[in-house]
Amino acid sequence: MVYWNKHAEIMDRSQMAELQGARLQELVSRLYHASPFYRSRFQAEGLLPEDIRSLDDISRLPFVTKQDMRDNYPYGMFAVPPSEIVRIHASSGTTGRPTVVGYTKRDIGVWSEVMARALTAAGINNQSIIQVAYGYGLFTGGLGVHYGAEMVGASVIPVSSGNTSRQIMLMKDFGTTAIACTPSYALYIAETMREMGIDPSETALKTGVFGAEPWSESMRRQIEEQLGIQAIDIYGLSEIIGPGVACECTAQQGLHINEDHFYPEIINPISGERLADGEKGELVITTLTKEGLPMVRYRTRDLTVLNRNQCSCGRTLVRMGKVLGRSDDMLIIRGVNIFPSQVESVLLNLGATSPHYQLIVEREDNLDKLTVMVEVTEEMFSDEVRKMEIVEYKIKSELASVLSVAATVKLVAPKTLERSEGKAKRVIDKRQIG
């Protein structure tokens, strides 16, 4: 088994807890004296640095949210002088002010390190040629993967996102063995390959490292079948560091969190109560070593579960399950909580349509109405109407069973729904509430 940092990745659990506790104490002390934001937060809770004696005391610390970052825009949460910030990124959010993140030189080193661990776990090494099709720029995806890939010695093709036919040409001509992008874009690449008359076997592609949006096991199967690769899930968020917070190994049994740098908790998203391993809830992360923009108990809004059992790959790092959705992106329709990932699983498990869909929520006569737009395949579109009606009925029935809410299902022609070269826009909420 190959590791990038064997000492950290197979560390004994008791040793890891001791390291995390020491780093937490140092972090709280540093922030109390260096960050006006955190000092005021700690004082509001009546906390002094010496009150945090072990990991068990972390629950005494207050949560931090994305709204805190917006309220302190742009640099109010930085914990070092401006002269020590060597890189600035910002979130790709579409509402409100962007969330601004800053990195010291050491932070960039840590980021490269955890990405090197992630890519090594995914089977990427100095023999690999990796095509980075995440966006470069303020979005952390492109440069995050880039630095980690260079650290492991892989040949990097920094193509960024977009221009899909060119992506495929470069993939063939340059002998790309691994691609990094969003899972929805991977499916779009596969679709474009078919249109171009190119079989994935004509490429050297073996591995895909996909993240930046929730995706189901069903979508994983679709990607692996259509591109003939192993699809690896990677997790990160700009507020914490970017990609590399966690990543699957080739065993695909959960995402290994680099917990010597990012301490994870699972909480009830409503009450804030800490939950036990195996219970589904919201992921909360504390950055134990971040200098420029440390985060103490940051509420990611991502829903998942934690597993501390040793993986078959030998890594002892805690694993998180695939992100099941987001607590703040959750749709509440007629009192029922609904996540796009639930709809995706139904559609892909039935296997009668393409993997492109969109949820449209409207309010008519004070009642919520959910419409699921689903693209059919070319074969089905040219089939008889009766068969289309049967598929539509099957989808509608299965959605009603899974969601406990009736939905209108509309089958639409191939390539009707907008394609995304970044994060797929799965939900359009047209409700005027309040």
Side-chain angles (χ1 to χ4, degrees):
M1 187 58 62
V2 179
Y3 309 102
W4 177 255
N5 184 335
K6 187 174 182 179
H7 173 73
E9 295 176 70
I10 66 168
M11 187 180 293
D12 178 80
R13 293 298 316 165
S14 61
Q15 286 182 297
M16 178 64 76
E18 186 177 347
L19 175 64
Q20 291 168 328
R23 286 182 169 177
L24 177 65
Q25 288 177 296
E26 191 280 329
L27 172 69
V28 171
S29 178
R30 176 162 55 89
L31 293 181
Y32 189 88
H33 295 101
S35 167
F37 169 80
Y38 278 109
R39 183 164 56 251
S40 65
R41 279 296 180 89
F42 296 159
Q43 289 175 341
E45 298 293 325
L47 288 173
L48 294 172
E50 51 267 30
D51 295 326
I52 306 303
R53 300 183 179 89
S54 70
L55 272 181
D56 294 335
D57 292 323
I58 196 169
S59 59
R60 300 180 63 185
L61 297 169
F63 294 115
V64 172
T65 67
K66 181 169 282 194
Q67 190 58 49
D68 290 319
M69 299 185 72
R70 290 181 176 137
D71 290 345
N72 289 275
Y73 175 90
Y75 304 141
M77 291 183 66
F78 286 10
V80 296
S83 60
E84 294 184 30
I85 296 293
V86 300
R87 174 92 65 79
I88 293 173
H89 282 281
S91 72
S92 56
T94 56
T95 58
R97 289 174 167 173
T99 51
V100 179
V101 295
Y103 301 77
T104 64
K105 186 175 182 179
R106 183 174 180 276
D107 291 336
I108 295 294
V110 169
W111 193 9
S112 301
E113 154 75 17
V114 295
M115 269 306 310
R117 294 185 198 178
L119 294 174
T120 300
I124 293 166
N125 55 36
N126 61 3
Q127 302 299 309
S128 303
I129 301 174
I130 182 168
Q131 190 160 319
V132 182
Y134 286 114
Y136 280 69
L138 287 178
F139 175 60
T140 55
L143 284 169
V145 176
H146 186 119
Y147 272 55
E150 286 190 338
M151 182 170 274
V152 301
S155 300
V156 184
I157 307 172
V159 68
S160 193
S161 57
N163 203 337
T164 307
S165 58
R166 179 169 172 265
Q167 296 263 8
I168 295 167
M169 179 193 76
L170 296 178
M171 200 179 293
K172 286 187 64 181
D173 294 349
F174 291 2
T176 300
T177 61
I179 186 165
C181 62
T182 61
S184 55
Y185 189 46
L187 282 174
Y188 185 42
I189 289 173
E191 180 182 65
T192 306
M193 275 188 176
R194 291 194 297 272
E195 293 172 355
M196 295 171 68
I198 295 172
D199 191 295
S201 63
E202 297 175 39
T203 74
L205 207 58
K206 297 176 182 176
T207 304
V209 180
F210 306 122
E213 61 188 16
W215 54 303
S216 64
E217 287 297 328
S218 299
M219 182 176 275
R220 189 208 296 272
R221 290 193 295 271
Q222 290 263 350
I223 293 171
E224 291 186 335
E225 289 169 7
Q226 292 186 28
L227 287 176
I229 62 175
Q230 185 175 37
I232 299 295
D233 195 359
I234 190 169
Y235 176 79
L237 57 167
S238 59
E239 299 92 320
I240 299 302
I241 204 162
V245 174
C247 188
E248 286 181 324
C249 64
T250 53
Q252 297 173 308
Q253 297 173 344
L255 292 85
H256 298 277
I257 300 176
N258 289 303
E259 58 176 314
D260 51 328
H261 296 287
F262 316 114
Y263 181 73
E265 304 171 77
I266 296 291
I267 65 166
N268 180 312
I270 298 173
S271 68
E273 174 192 5
R274 293 184 74 182
L275 301 178
D277 290 350
E279 291 190 67
K280 183 177 80 172
E282 180 182 334
L283 179 65
V284 171
I285 295 177
T286 297
T287 59
L288 296 174
T289 58
K290 191 96 173 285
E291 293 180 337
L293 182 70
M295 284 291 170
V296 174
R297 305 195 81 198
Y298 181 76
R299 296 191 59 164
T300 69
R301 303 295 180 180
D302 289 323
L303 300 176
T304 186
V305 297
L306 294 182
N307 175 4
R308 294 179 203 276
N309 296 327
Q310 183 172 328
C311 179
S312 61
C313 73
R315 289 176 176 83
T316 55
L317 296 169
V318 63
R319 284 171 285 159
M320 59 180 277
K322 288 181 76 66
V323 171
L324 303 168
R326 286 180 58 82
S327 61
D328 55 352
D329 287 348
M330 177 177 66
L331 288 170
I332 302 178
I333 298 176
R334 298 194 288 279
V336 177
N337 298 342
I338 293 174
F339 296 96
S341 56
Q342 293 174 293
V343 176
E344 179 182 295
S345 293
V346 167
L347 298 177
L348 295 179
N349 285 334
L350 286 175
T353 61
S354 83
H356 302 289
Y357 66 95
Q358 199 163 63
L359 280 62
I360 299 174
V361 190
E362 300 168 283
R363 178 158 288 182
E364 295 181 0
D365 299 324
N366 294 317
L367 290 175
D368 293 336
K369 176 184 176 183
L370 173 63
T371 301
V372 181
M373 311 285 284
V374 187
E375 276 191 20
V376 298
T377 60
E378 293 280 0
E379 295 79 10
M380 183 181 295
F381 188 61
S382 59
D383 217 328
E384 57 186 80
V385 174
R386 178 62 184 154
K387 288 187 178 179
M388 298 250 304
E389 290 175 344
I390 292 172
V391 170
E392 189 174 286
Y393 176 77
K394 282 183 179 178
I395 294 173
K396 185 174 181 178
S397 299
E398 189 66 20
L399 285 176
S401 173
V402 171
L403 304 179
S404 300
V405 166
T408 299
V409 176
K410 290 186 178 179
L411 301 183
V412 298
K415 302 171 192 168
T416 301
L417 300 179
E418 181 183 356
R419 298 295 191 264
S420 171
E421 293 170 342
K423 294 186 181 182
K425 186 171 178 59
R426 299 298 194 195
V427 178
I428 298 176
D429 196 336
K430 297 181 177 180
R431 291 175 292 184
Q432 298 295 321
I433 301 173

